[in-house]
Amino acid sequence: MSAEQGREQRTIRCLVAKVGLDGHDRGAHVIARAFRDAGFEVIYSGLHKSPDEIVQAAVQEDVDVLGISILSGAHNTLVPKIIEGLEEYNALSDTLVILGGIVPEDDRPELREMGVAEIFGPGASMEETTQFVRENAPER
Amino acid sequence: MSLVSDLLAGDHRALARTITNIENRTAGYRELVSELHEHTGTADVIGVTGSPGAGKSTLVDKLTRQYRDDDLTVGVLAIDPSSPFTGGSVLGDRIRMGSTTGDMDVFVRSMSARGRLGGLSTATADAVKALDAFGKDKIIIETVGAGQNEIDIVKTADTVAVLVPPGTGDDIQMLKAGIFEIGDVFVVNKADLSGADRIVKELREMIRTREDYTPERNGTTGIDRSIDRTATEWEPQVVETVASAGEGVGELVSVLQEHADYLADSGKRTERARRRYAEEITTHLREDLHRLTAREIDAQGGLDDLAAAVTRRETDPYTIVDELLAPIEECVEQRAERERAENEP
């Protein structure tokens, strides 16, 4: 009977994170709303968070998806710190890390290698992003 | 189960995953919570409720800071409503809990209603158990105070603080809708705004008049009553705060502590716990029975067919329910009979 008792109510949980000194959060707000409208549970970090704070929130909230928005160009500094932090808590393997913002083509391979699943630049559509999350949200 | 031992050993991720399993009702979550239960009962659970914009998150943040300064560990469950249309939600309480970020001894978890009516209070109670078993000293449940669902959630707490901001005439109105009765402490937040004095006065007035209707006081003289009351009953306190500036938070902490002491000294803590568990058992039983009968309904061809039969006047709702419950009733009766037979010499 345990299967029925389970009656699983799985919902995709996302943390939309703004990290570092970058103060541009229009994009983060738009994506947070799009995720919400797609039926996800969205936790928004607020502005100017440190990598540690993002890691803490991702671990405590046990999110399936961590979406980092960076428009300041500091991705090569900040993203590795977040990835390391997740690894420290053994959380990287089942967290889908995606990146949004201005990330030059040259920087992308290294970020992907580190564990970033996808990078959404200017022009990426909401449908594309939510679809990607739906298809790639980790099985737990 | 390794998740339980990891959680008890203080692993943050195990705690986070446990709450996820509780929320998702992942297969095995019941056993998980059962195992945790014996490790619970040490935390003080504080409910913070109030209308949207009352300053709950900000106050909880400052409260948490204060507890951390006193070297106490804190768990926060921030509960937000979800959209009844998409099921999605934006859980924004975390943003306003900035003064303790980076401190892993503060565990903040956002939860949403996920469209399940009533089920959220069960999930909240279970999540509280997880935090309690993890060893948190103080657990704060933060929720919008509107409707039965939220009141049920707040009832999970030992001490309930109701936030009332001045400035809108509706706040006292809100208090009339069932929230007033559950408040142990009333916090007039944003006390620097005009109208705060009036709200404080009105609240005190409401507390006084409420006591006139307390059943225990019927039939005794006025003087005796007041002596009785101070000895055995908690009089809800009114505290003024300006959460954004941290004013009055120290006083609130001591009032919350007074209430916790009162609960412990008067034996009310145990009494409340017992009542809470009785409610929990009833809720689980109702849910499980509901699930069991849903299965039986499916086996009988589904609710639609049954309803169609009623519409055709072939049968009626009472008869259907009797039929559906017949097997359960039979079992209960058989068991009672067996026990009677066993007890007879």
Side-chain angles (χ1 to χ4, degrees):
Chain A
M1 189 161 147
S2 74
E4 280 111 299
Q5 280 181 346
R7 253 207 325 171
E8 282 216 24
Q9 304 187 358
R10 189 152 150 45
T11 301
I12 296 177
R13 283 169 70 87
C14 311
L15 173 64
V16 174
K18 285 300 299 185
V19 63
L21 295 174
D22 164 22
H24 300 269
D25 59 353
R26 178 65 59 88
H29 285 180
V30 170
I31 201 74
R33 289 189 60 162
F35 281 176
R36 179 199 67 186
D37 292 344
F40 307 163
E41 275 175 16
V42 187
I43 294 125
Y44 176 50
S45 72
L47 279 173
H48 307 311
K49 299 300 171 190
S50 72
D52 282 352
E53 288 169 353
I54 299 303
V55 170
Q56 180 186 14
V59 169
Q60 293 187 344
E61 300 288 355
D62 196 19
V63 289
D64 305 278
V65 183
L66 170 58
I68 309 165
S69 158
I70 301 185
L71 297 136
S72 64
H75 45 267
N76 286 339
T77 316
L78 297 170
V79 175
K81 285 186 184 165
I82 294 174
I83 301 265
E84 276 164 31
L86 289 176
E87 250 169 352
E88 205 177 297
Y89 283 99
N90 230 343
L92 185 62
S93 55
D94 58 3
T95 306
L96 181 73
V97 181
I98 56 177
L99 204 56
I102 314 292
V103 181
E105 209 53 60
D106 290 351
D107 294 344
R108 295 189 178 200
E110 205 177 318
L111 290 167
R112 283 179 199 279
E113 196 158 313
M114 216 175 281
V116 175
E118 189 55 273
I119 298 162
F120 297 93
S125 75
M126 290 303 130
E127 291 76 36
E128 194 189 323
T129 315
T130 49
Q131 193 58 30
F132 181 84
V133 168
R134 265 210 195 90
E135 282 167 9
N136 295 281
E139 280 297 324
R140 287 176 167 176
Chain B
M1 205 175 288
S2 73
L3 200 52
V4 171
S5 49
D6 286 353
L7 184 150
L8 294 174
D11 182 63
H12 288 95
R13 197 160 154 73
L15 172 59
R17 185 53 53 89
T18 301
I19 298 178
T20 303
N21 289 352
I22 288 167
E23 276 208 286
N24 288 348
R25 298 178 174 229
T26 308
Y29 87 97
R30 292 167 71 115
E31 290 75 10
L32 196 61
V33 180
S34 301
E35 274 187 69
L36 290 175
H37 186 80
E38 62 171 305
H39 303 281
T40 63
T42 52
D44 283 327
V45 186
I46 300 157
V48 176
T49 187
S51 51
K56 296 179 292 295
S57 301
T58 311
L59 186 69
V60 168
D61 181 44
K62 293 296 179 344
L63 213 50
T64 306
R65 175 75 269 156
Q66 184 82 37
Y67 283 138
R68 289 301 297 141
D69 289 345
D70 297 341
D71 246 349
L72 297 165
T73 56
V74 184
V76 178
L77 293 175
I79 294 151
D80 262 326
S82 65
S83 159
F85 302 107
T86 62
S89 56
V90 176
L91 309 167
D93 295 316
R94 225 189 154 93
I95 303 176
R96 284 176 291 276
M97 297 188 190
S99 63
T100 52
T101 48
D103 176 1
M104 268 310 222
D105 282 327
V106 178
F107 190 100
V108 181
R109 181 65 179 240
S110 320
M111 289 173 81
S112 92
R114 293 195 183 174
R116 57 191 157 203
L117 275 173
L120 184 58
S121 49
T122 307
T124 310
D126 287 350
V128 166
K129 281 183 190 168
L131 289 166
D132 193 345
F134 187 80
K136 293 296 182 198
D137 299 312
K138 302 281 177 185
I139 298 168
I140 305 175
I141 308 169
E142 184 210 319
T143 179
V144 170
Q148 191 58 45
N149 215 357
E150 280 71 18
I151 291 175
D152 285 347
I153 292 165
V154 167
K155 276 200 215 148
T156 317
D158 301 310
T159 302
V160 177
V162 177
L163 262 71
V164 196
T168 55
D170 283 344
D171 292 303
I172 292 288
Q173 292 290 342
M174 179 203 82
L175 289 177
K176 288 176 185 163
I179 289 268
F180 182 73
E181 289 80 352
I182 59 168
D184 301 305
V185 182
F186 292 93
V187 184
V188 176
N189 192 32
K190 308 188 187 182
D192 52 339
L193 296 184
S194 68
D197 294 354
R198 219 190 65 218
I199 291 263
V200 171
K201 275 199 200 101
E202 279 179 51
L203 278 170
R204 296 225 161 99
E205 183 61 33
M206 281 179 86
I207 290 165
R208 256 197 306 278
T209 48
R210 151 168 118 157
E211 285 182 350
D212 285 337
Y213 293 101
T214 309
E216 294 102 86
R217 298 187 55 203
N218 288 341
T220 47
T221 72
I223 296 159
D224 283 346
R225 284 200 297 245
S226 64
I227 292 166
D228 256 342
R229 190 199 329 143
T230 46
T232 60
E233 237 185 271
W234 171 261
E235 181 174 282
Q237 299 290 301
V238 181
V239 182
E240 290 176 70
T241 59
V242 183
S244 55
E247 281 169 34
V249 175
E251 198 199 333
L252 176 60
V253 166
S254 40
V255 170
L256 292 173
Q257 191 55 49
E258 268 171 43
H259 187 255
D261 293 342
Y262 156 79
L263 288 177
D265 297 344
S266 63
K268 285 255 159 74
R269 193 183 154 98
T270 328
E271 194 186 305
R272 276 194 184 197
R274 215 180 299 134
R275 198 167 34 196
R276 207 157 51 218
Y277 290 135
E279 263 179 50
E280 242 181 80
I281 294 168
T282 317
T283 308
H284 292 329
L285 203 58
R286 202 164 41 216
E287 273 189 33
D288 286 5
L289 271 178
H290 178 78
R291 207 139 47 220
L292 205 61
T293 45
R295 231 169 68 174
E296 179 66 13
I297 289 172
D298 282 345
Q300 304 274 335
L303 195 57
D304 281 349
D305 281 5
L306 295 173
V310 172
T311 315
R312 289 194 301 271
R313 300 292 182 274
E314 289 165 11
T315 178
D316 70 290
Y318 282 125
T319 310
I320 286 179
V321 170
D322 282 346
E323 280 167 14
L324 288 171
L325 290 183
I328 297 173
E329 224 160 307
E330 224 168 89
C331 287
V332 172
E333 262 159 37
Q334 271 173 13
R335 191 152 140 185
E337 222 163 274
R338 210 167 43 236
E339 266 166 30
R340 249 195 319 269
E342 276 168 17
N343 288 337
E344 270 168 26

